Amino acid sequence: MVLYASILRLEIDAMFQTIENILQVALAGVLIGVLYGLMCVGLGLIFGVMRIINFAQGEFLMLGMYATLFVGVALGGQYAGAWTPFVSALLVIPLIFVFGMLLYQLSLDRLSLRRELGEESRHSAQLVITLGISLILSNGGLMLFGTTPKSTPTEFASSAITFGPLVRDNILLFINKARLIAAALALAVTVAVVLLMNRTKLGRSVRAAADDVDAAAYCGIDVRKIYMVTFGLGAAITAASGGLTARL
Amino acid sequence: MLKPLLLILALLASYLAIAFFVTNTYHQLILTSIPIWATLATGWNVFSGYVGLLSFGHAAFFGLGAFMVTLLLIVVDVTPWIGIPVGGLVGAASAAVIGLPTFRLRGHYFALAMVAYPLALLYVFNWLGLQEVTLPLKREAPAAYMQFANPYIYTVLAVALLFVAMIVACIVDRSRFGLVLRAIKQDEAAASASGINPRGWKLAALTISAMLSALAGGLYVVVLNVTTPNEVFGLAVSSSPLILSMFGGLGSIWGPIIGAFTLVPISETLHAQLGAVLPGIQGVVYGLALMLLMLWLPEGVYWKLHDRFSRLHVETKSRSVTGHGLPQLLETRLKALPEDAPALSLRAVSCRFGELRVLESLDLTVEPRSITAVVGPNGAGKTTLFNTINGFIGPSEGTIVLFGHVMTAVPVYMRARMGLARTFQTPRIFPRLTLLENVYVSAVSAISNVSQSRFAASWAVSLCDLDDVAERPAMSVSAVHLRKLEIARAIAACPTVLLLDETLAGLTSSEIENVVKLVRRIRALGITIIIIEHTMDAMLRLVDRMVVLNNGRLIADGKPEFVVRERPVIEAYLGAKWAARA
């Protein structure tokens, strides 16, 4: 009888262990998923509005990571406090926003003038141009930053919040503080983008341009400017998600 | 056909002659890789360049070709001389497997979905434990296993493969196959209404394209002697034919060649010269060159040259029409029509989009050799009626019968081939094809005999008074020509029933007179016509019968002069107030 009870006990323990593992993994998945989601917001903006498949998306991510690193160093590195990497990831947004707009102005915008090409050849050309941008950024990154992995250390990375035990003394969940902060910030940025798109005049213009370029232009929207802003915004958001992902 | 072939032959021969004097092994390898990449790009272009669906997944075919050769040699000891063609066939077969589900997607979504296939295969081959496979040396009979000490022989083989690929591309470009693909690229719906089965043609193009890509992959692995899944299934392989073809110019046989023969040497030289000094610089330079060139020549090098060149030589082609009278097919079709069956009958046809009822249990029977007008206010369901008859929209209920054949489940292009032709409210033409080519596309899908379909096309063009503009691209002619072009395209398919959707809209009165006469001529041939129209006075003179639709229901039917006096008709058009005064 006692033996049965202890075997049962063991099985229940094992079950709780499994549940704990599943919950732990799910939680980690949600936290990283929020960051990936932010990255997709950047991609979705550019593709959804401009219908350009942006091959340089990964490079924007990389740029965001390095920009976060350098801004962090400029702020005083980890001596400036555990929040430095997060603050610098957010500071990267205006930086890459301007960079993205410049990049758009110098390259893709030139094609939007050439209406005689027809949409199809214009899109093909734009596609090759983003491939070119991707090659330049990734190889330029290789030249400038080298191949050694860098990190943006923060004390939060080594501390965790614990939840539980949830059922008697079983199911104890750990949440890494750095991940939690990163996910919270990513969520905040996502919400800010949603508000920007739904509540502001700029957002309405962007959505109008996404729906129908010509109709938007007839309504007095400067579509080329909207495209420039969208491209900058998409790049900046992607970069921010890169910066927030970097320490994970 | 002969001229470009000789040009290709001369160019490739001089390439081989130059390559003969290259002694450096590394340079010889570059000279071998250029035609291989050119073959891949040519294969890619046969599909993506002509059909207009960009594929990011041709590494799937390239890699399958490569691994087929490798595995055949290692596992069953089959020489690459057999392995490469087998690999080509496997590539072609895989195109069917990949194409059928993926053709459901359009545009960007197709492009992105194609990325998945090589990536999936990459993981499968890694999982199979084929991370790095070296081809075994066959010392006893190297030539029998395609192993040569002299690298120049590989260059010869690569050039030979490119020659084959270019011949295939040339055939596609010059034949009606290429014409049909271009038509699909420019307007898929209009193409299927002309009797073209877009899926079938796309699949054929992808199969050829995949086969060429797989052949290139097979030779690639033989030249390098070693293969890894990353190298043949990687994104670099998928994007290279795209870059090369777009740089050179999509949809021409020369585009991929120009791309490969300029970009491959540039990138290889940069890699060799600068890669050692400053890793990454070659990518930056290459990327910059790509960007600048695309900004300068967004349509690709070939089309820029082509425009320069063709402005000097305006082609004056003389069209030779052989044969008299009607196209054979039209004559047989009209003769074979059953005497007693109605041309078209709809039985209780309903059409709903969710809550919206566009057609409500419509019954309509149209007599053969008659002209019937379908009129009604905007939103009455007239165009939906045509879309239902021609198959763009499946009816929610009811059956559609054409000369005794139930058509309800027949796809659009088959209905077109069974003798149902239509025009569109806003002309849906293939803008970059000439008028004659526009018409020919539709004749080709109806008539298998080449000279017969040529004749049908020129017959239709003449019938519609388009002879003097026949060689001009469709985007450059006036509205009335476009209307007539649509009619010409419709009748070139030798229809027994013709649906005309607002053919007279937006024309001046003399132009209307002109088109009305044309419609009479077509009816006189024995073709049944149904026409949607708002121009009442023209209809009164033209049609035998008028049916009036309002809110998806038939509210009047009969001789036009009586129908226009009926109360519900006036009510529908002008409102109850006017009906009271009438």
Side-chain angles (χ1 to χ4, degrees), chain B residues 37 57-68 70-71 74 115-134 217 220-221 224-238:
Chain B
W37 291 119
H58 267 55
F61 310 126
F62 187 84
L64 278 177
F67 267 99
M68 210 56 217
T70 315
L71 293 179
I74 291 175
V115 182
Y117 297 107
L119 290 184
L121 285 171
L122 193 158
Y123 286 109
V124 169
F125 277 88
N126 271 329
W127 173 74
L128 287 173
L130 301 165
Q131 277 91 346
E132 187 174 314
V133 194
T134 313
Y220 180 77
V221 79
L224 288 197
N225 231 343
V226 58
T227 184
T228 70
N230 281 318
E231 199 177 322
V232 292
F233 287 117
L235 265 180
V237 176
S238 285

Side-chain angles (χ1 to χ4, degrees), chain B residues 74-405:
Chain B
I74 291 175
V75 181
V76 261
D77 196 39
V78 170
T79 155
W81 290 109
I82 297 170
I84 291 176
V86 171
L89 292 180
V90 170
S94 70
V97 179
I98 285 175
L100 281 176
T102 321
F103 284 144
R104 289 175 183 278
L105 302 170
R106 303 262 161 98
H108 288 313
Y109 301 100
F110 176 86
L112 290 176
M114 285 299 283
V115 182
Y117 297 107
L119 290 184
L121 285 171
L122 193 158
Y123 286 109
V124 169
F125 277 88
N126 271 329
W127 173 74
L128 287 173
L130 301 165
Q131 277 91 346
E132 187 174 314
V133 194
T134 313
L135 298 189
L137 274 180
K138 301 280 180 182
R139 285 178 210 288
E140 62 285 0
Y145 285 92
M146 226 186 241
Q147 291 174 355
F148 305 103
N150 183 358
Y152 179 67
I153 298 176
Y154 288 121
T155 310
V156 175
L157 286 176
V159 167
L161 181 62
L162 177 59
F163 183 61
V164 172
M166 288 196 72
I167 290 176
V168 172
C170 223
I171 292 171
V172 169
D173 187 74
R174 297 293 162 116
S175 67
R176 51 202 206 151
F177 184 30
L179 186 67
V180 166
L181 293 183
R182 284 188 204 113
I184 293 173
K185 177 181 184 174
Q186 289 171 35
D187 194 333
E188 192 171 327
S192 63
S194 311
I196 291 168
N197 173 8
R199 270 205 178 188
W201 288 100
K202 280 192 224 165
L203 196 62
L206 186 63
T207 308
I208 295 174
S209 165
M211 193 181 72
L212 293 177
S213 308
L215 290 175
L219 187 60
Y220 180 77
V221 79
V222 171
V223 172
L224 288 197
N225 231 343
V226 58
T227 184
T228 70
N230 281 318
E231 199 177 322
V232 292
F233 287 117
L235 265 180
V237 176
S238 285
S239 59
S240 86
L242 182 121
I243 296 178
L244 301 180
S245 307
M246 282 185 176
F247 174 86
L250 290 180
S252 87
I253 56 168
W254 297 108
I257 307 300
I258 295 172
F261 280 77
T262 38
L263 290 184
V264 175
I266 289 176
S267 80
E268 290 291 340
T269 314
L270 283 173
H271 193 72
Q273 301 296 322
L274 300 175
V277 189
L278 195 52
I281 181 80
Q282 81 277 10
V284 173
V285 174
Y286 190 60
L288 214 57
L290 265 185
M291 268 180 73
L292 292 178
L293 262 153
M294 285 326 275
L295 287 176
W296 182 41
L297 305 171
E299 280 184 297
V301 177
Y302 172 78
W303 293 111
K304 186 78 179 177
L305 296 174
H306 178 84
D307 287 351
R308 277 273 158 79
F309 189 70
S310 63
R311 226 174 283 156
L312 297 173
H313 296 265
V314 178
E315 235 174 297
T316 45
K317 251 189 271 174
S318 63
R319 287 186 298 117
S320 56
V321 182
T322 51
H324 304 280
L326 293 185
Q328 232 169 46
L329 180 67
L330 186 58
E331 219 169 337
T332 22
R333 270 191 181 161
L334 289 173
K335 269 188 194 144
L337 289 183
E339 277 306 316
D340 44 345
L344 180 76
S345 75
L346 307 185
R347 294 182 203 138
V349 169
S350 296
C351 198
R352 298 186 199 97
F353 303 115
E355 284 300 295
L356 191 68
R357 293 155 177 241
V358 185
L359 296 177
E360 272 293 298
S361 73
L362 205 69
D363 287 293
L364 180 67
T365 306
V366 176
E367 291 307 312
R369 299 179 182 83
S370 65
I371 302 186
T372 307
V374 177
V375 298
N378 287 328
K382 303 183 298 288
T383 297
T384 304
L385 174 67
F386 271 21
N387 285 341
T388 315
I389 296 174
N390 122 289
F392 278 147
I393 298 172
S396 317
E397 281 156 28
T399 38
I400 297 156
V401 184
L402 184 82
F403 283 113
H405 299 286

Side-chain angles (χ1 to χ4, degrees), chain B residues 316-551:
Chain B
T316 45
K317 251 189 271 174
S318 63
R319 287 186 298 117
S320 56
V321 182
T322 51
H324 304 280
L326 293 185
Q328 232 169 46
L329 180 67
L330 186 58
E331 219 169 337
T332 22
R333 270 191 181 161
L334 289 173
K335 269 188 194 144
L337 289 183
E339 277 306 316
D340 44 345
L344 180 76
S345 75
L346 307 185
R347 294 182 203 138
V349 169
S350 296
C351 198
R352 298 186 199 97
F353 303 115
E355 284 300 295
L356 191 68
R357 293 155 177 241
V358 185
L359 296 177
E360 272 293 298
S361 73
L362 205 69
D363 287 293
L364 180 67
T365 306
V366 176
E367 291 307 312
R369 299 179 182 83
S370 65
I371 302 186
T372 307
V374 177
V375 298
N378 287 328
K382 303 183 298 288
T383 297
T384 304
L385 174 67
F386 271 21
N387 285 341
T388 315
I389 296 174
N390 122 289
F392 278 147
I393 298 172
S396 317
E397 281 156 28
T399 38
I400 297 156
V401 184
L402 184 82
F403 283 113
H405 299 286
V406 178
M407 308 291 271
T408 320
V410 177
V412 178
Y413 67 91
M414 278 309 290
R415 295 191 203 197
R417 283 191 214 168
M418 288 165 78
L420 181 72
R422 78 167 286 178
T423 67
F424 295 90
Q425 197 169 349
T426 35
R428 303 189 70 155
I429 42 130
F430 310 119
R432 279 173 210 79
L433 304 185
T434 67
L435 267 63
L436 185 63
E437 280 174 331
N438 261 282
V439 179
Y440 185 53
V441 164
S442 138
V444 153
S445 47
I447 307 166
S448 49
N449 180 314
V450 178
S451 66
Q452 275 294 317
S453 50
R454 284 246 160 82
F455 170 67
S458 11
W459 166 79
V461 164
S462 301
L463 188 79
C464 298
D465 297 324
L466 291 171
D467 281 311
D468 27 332
V469 284
E471 297 294 344
R472 285 175 47 189
M475 58 185 174
S476 70
V477 299
S478 70
V480 64
H481 285 140
L482 291 185
R483 300 277 177 192
K484 287 181 175 176
L485 169 60
E486 278 223 303
I487 299 178
R489 199 174 61 188
I491 58 170
C494 303
T496 48
V497 174
L498 176 61
L499 310 177
L500 300 174
D501 194 349
E502 297 207 17
T503 305
L504 305 179
L507 301 183
T508 66
S509 54
S510 66
E511 286 168 348
I512 288 179
E513 207 45 51
N514 209 321
V515 177
V516 163
K517 276 184 190 148
L518 170 61
V519 175
R520 284 213 186 98
R521 281 204 293 274
I522 294 168
R523 196 265 290 267
L525 298 172
I527 297 173
T528 313
I529 294 171
I530 307 175
I531 182 168
I532 293 178
E533 205 30 81
H534 285 300
T535 327
M536 279 300 175
D537 54 332
M539 286 304 99
L540 287 172
R541 279 177 289 133
L542 180 66
V543 305
D544 310 313
R545 174 188 176 198
M546 190 176 270
V547 295
V548 185
L549 275 186
N550 192 25
N551 291 327

